[in-house]
Structure formats: structure tokens, C-alpha cells
Amino acid sequence: MGKKSAKDKNTKDGALWSQEPWQALRAGTLGPIAEFDPDRTPGFDGDREDGEKLLAQYGEELSDLQEMLFAQGRSGGTRSVLLVLQGMDTAGKGGIVRHVGGLLDPQGLAITGFGKPTPEELAHDFLWRIHKALPRAGRIGVFDRSHYEDVLPVRVHGLVPESVWSQRYDLINEFEAELTAAGTTVIKCALVVSKDEQKTRLAERLDRPDKFWKYNPGDVDERAYWDDYLDAYQAIFDTTDTDHAPWFVIPANRKWFSRLAVARLLLQTLRGLDLSWPPADFDVAAEKQRLAASD
Ligand code: AMP
Ligand code: MG
């Protein structure tokens, strides 16, 4: 019989976390984003192998909780979850969608990517396209980019006047407060890579035909605005890291860690909903009898 090592036991649940990501990665408690080290794995004492094992374990509980949320949505419940993902190019948003979203049942997931606004979207208020993509009751929504783009590239490149974008922080807080009051639990994750790591990842895209589709020549131009983007992220954390819609800063130089951390945050969010199976809206004993009596 194989003896379980102490390490194996530790991977059971939260033991490898000396501090939960909920605390260790909360934007408001970290220092300036410009000094953030994307190589670190704050709060986590394990290595890559531990992290990958844990991620798979989280998958089981995540999908159970997701099914309960879905069942409640089917039974008149109003709750849903929204995971907002932001990050510079190559930060790994797509990988989170694939690897964390991949632990969940696609039926209960609503994934939306937000690219450059279409003319129709530009003709509306910046939250118009966001409203249309909100998760219905029982669903877990994932935004790959979000309304925060309207205070990121839009601010950095002055796509609208400052008098317009500067008002958006308050508008976003109001919007998210309404959203949470209506039953949606919101968590926001900003994936942070270092400028060097981004260069490595862009170079890899140029070396691999299977990655050309991800490469956008404009991404290189954006690197010249790195510090402006950091300022724009700092402004977001300073103004929109609220208790009802908290921001977490995810170090993303190590993909295994960013995936694990986001999965843990999502798991804690779902646990926090205190979900239960909806009770039957029929007489169970009577139905058993009817079934037994049927042909
Ligand atoms: P990707 O996520 O790599 O497909 O790229 C989408 C692009 O659309 C990125 O360059 C974003 O910055 C850009 N984008 C998304 N939303 C907006 C917005 N509201 N205004 C301007 N650019 C945006
Ligand atoms: Mg891109």
C-alpha cells in the first residue's frame, strides 16, 4: 500500500495556501502596481506540480457548486456570478478561460470577449454591450476584457475626452453596485505580466505558425505605452476595488499560478454563496408511488 507523503496530504485543499488569494492578491492591499512582481506566487507554498494537481481537484468542487447554482437558477433563484478578466496582451486571459472555464460545464457558462467596439456599439453608452452580455440567473459569466477597456486603451490613447472617461469610474461603481444588488456576485481579476515576459511571449507567437493568429502588429506599438497602462490600471484599482466588486491582481508570469489563483478565487466565491439543492416542487413520496404503479 502506497504511503501518502505529507505533501500529498497538503494538497487536499487549502493547506498549501499560507494566505488565501482573497487576501494575498486583493488590489487594495497591494502596493503600487508599478512595483508589483509578476514572477511571485503570493500566499502559495507549492510548486508547479502541486499547483496543477490542486487545480484539477478544484475542478470537482467547482463543477458541483456550479450545478447547484444552475439548479437554483432553474428553480426561480436569481443568483449568478461574473468573473471579469483584464490584462495586457499575452497576459493569459484566453488560457484562464480555457483552463479554468474548462473545469466547468459549458451549459452553465457564458463567456464573452470584448474587442474593439463596433460602430453600433460606439453609437451607444459604453455599458450597452456589457448589459447585453450579463449572465442570466444560475450562470457563471466570464468577461474576457470588459467595461474596463473604456478606461484603459480609451484613456491611454485619448479615444474620448478626459471629461468623458474620467466620469466612467463612478459610472462603473454604480453599475456594479446595481448588478450585485440584483443577485450577481462580481469578482475582477487583472492578470499582470512583466514587460520582459510579454516580449518573450510575443516572440513565441512570431516563431510558431500555430500562434500567428494571436499576433497583432499593434501589440508591439502598445508596448511604448506600458507605463501609461500601469497608471490606468492603478486608477482602476484606486477607484473601483470595492467590497461588492473586488479587484484581485494576479501575477501571471507563471501561467500555472495565475490559473490556480483564479480558480481558487472562483471556488471561494461559489462556496461563499452557501448554495443548496432546490427542494422538490412536487410530492416526492406520491411521485414514487405513481412511478412504481406505472407500466
Ligand atoms: P484581443 O483581446 O487580443 O482580441 O484584442 C481586442 C482589442 O480590442 C484589444 O486591443 C483591446 O484593447 C481592444 N478593445 C476592447 N475594448 C475596447 C474599447 N472599449 N475601446 C477600445 N479598444 C477596445
Ligand atoms: Mg491580442
Side-chain angles (χ1 to χ4, degrees):
M1 207 174 68
K3 258 201 300 180
K4 286 213 163 179
S5 70
K7 207 171 169 188
D8 278 341
K9 263 189 240 143
N10 275 342
T11 55
K12 273 285 172 267
D13 189 48
L16 284 172
W17 293 103
S18 56
Q19 196 183 20
E20 286 288 341
W22 202 272
Q23 284 89 38
L25 303 178
R26 179 74 188 263
T29 65
L30 302 168
I33 186 68
E35 283 159 33
F36 188 75
D37 180 359
D39 269 318
R40 290 183 53 231
T41 60
F44 189 66
D45 297 333
D47 57 17
R48 177 184 180 142
E49 200 191 328
D50 298 320
E52 288 175 350
K53 234 191 261 174
L54 258 191
L55 182 64
Q57 276 181 33
Y58 293 168
E60 291 176 27
E61 191 181 343
L62 275 172
S63 59
D64 285 349
L65 290 170
Q66 181 198 18
E67 193 180 352
M68 251 181 224
L69 179 67
F70 190 81
Q72 290 205 340
R74 277 294 175 82
S75 314
T78 56
R79 287 187 297 180
S80 61
V81 170
L82 177 63
L83 170 64
V84 170
L85 299 175
Q86 283 292 157
M88 310 261 211
D89 281 302
T90 76
K93 298 184 294 297
I96 298 283
V97 172
R98 230 175 6 263
H99 291 269
V100 180
L103 299 169
L104 301 166
D105 181 346
Q107 185 176 214
L109 264 186
I111 301 164
T112 312
F114 293 97
K116 287 202 167 53
T118 62
E120 191 192 18
E121 287 168 348
L122 281 176
H124 289 83
D125 167 65
F126 77 106
L127 292 172
W128 182 70
R129 64 178 184 166
I130 304 299
H131 276 284
K132 290 201 300 178
L134 292 174
R136 292 161 51 194
R139 304 297 207 286
I140 298 176
V142 181
F143 282 180
D144 177 348
R145 302 187 191 272
S146 67
H147 41 300
Y148 286 96
E149 291 291 310
D150 291 278
V151 285
L152 284 163
V154 170
R155 166 179 163 144
V156 167
H157 296 295
L159 301 182
V160 301
E162 176 166 358
S163 59
V164 174
W165 61 250
S166 62
Q167 291 183 35
R168 289 182 171 167
Y169 302 96
D170 286 343
L171 292 170
I172 286 172
N173 282 335
E174 282 167 30
F175 162 65
E176 291 176 351
E178 280 167 24
L179 194 57
T180 46
T184 302
T185 301
V186 181
I187 56 168
K188 305 179 293 197
C189 293
L191 307 184
V192 177
V193 280
S194 61
K195 202 174 176 188
D196 283 349
E197 178 65 19
Q198 186 189 62
K199 193 170 191 174
T200 304
R201 292 182 186 180
L202 287 173
E204 192 180 294
R205 289 183 180 178
L206 286 171
D207 271 338
R208 288 179 48 178
D210 63 320
K211 300 235 174 177
F212 289 167
W213 67 276
K214 287 192 192 181
Y215 187 81
N216 172 4
D219 296 345
V220 177
D221 302 314
E222 288 299 89
R223 286 172 57 77
Y225 298 90
W226 191 269
D227 291 344
D228 296 331
Y229 272 101
L230 290 183
D231 287 345
Y233 271 104
Q234 190 65 55
I236 284 172
F237 300 145
D238 290 345
T239 57
T240 67
D241 176 24
T242 56
D243 283 336
H244 58 268
W247 267 111
F248 300 95
V249 184
I250 315 290
N253 274 12
R254 301 170 201 242
K255 290 179 180 170
W256 66 264
F257 179 74
S258 55
R259 291 166 189 169
L260 179 70
V262 174
R264 181 82 188 167
L265 288 166
L266 189 58
L267 181 61
Q268 299 290 55
T269 301
L270 287 167
R271 284 178 176 171
L273 295 182
D274 274 328
L275 294 163
S276 56
W277 295 108
D281 57 1
F282 47 83
D283 182 335
V284 178
E287 288 305 306
K288 280 185 180 167
Q289 279 183 5
R290 280 194 340 113
L291 179 63
S294 71
D295 290 335

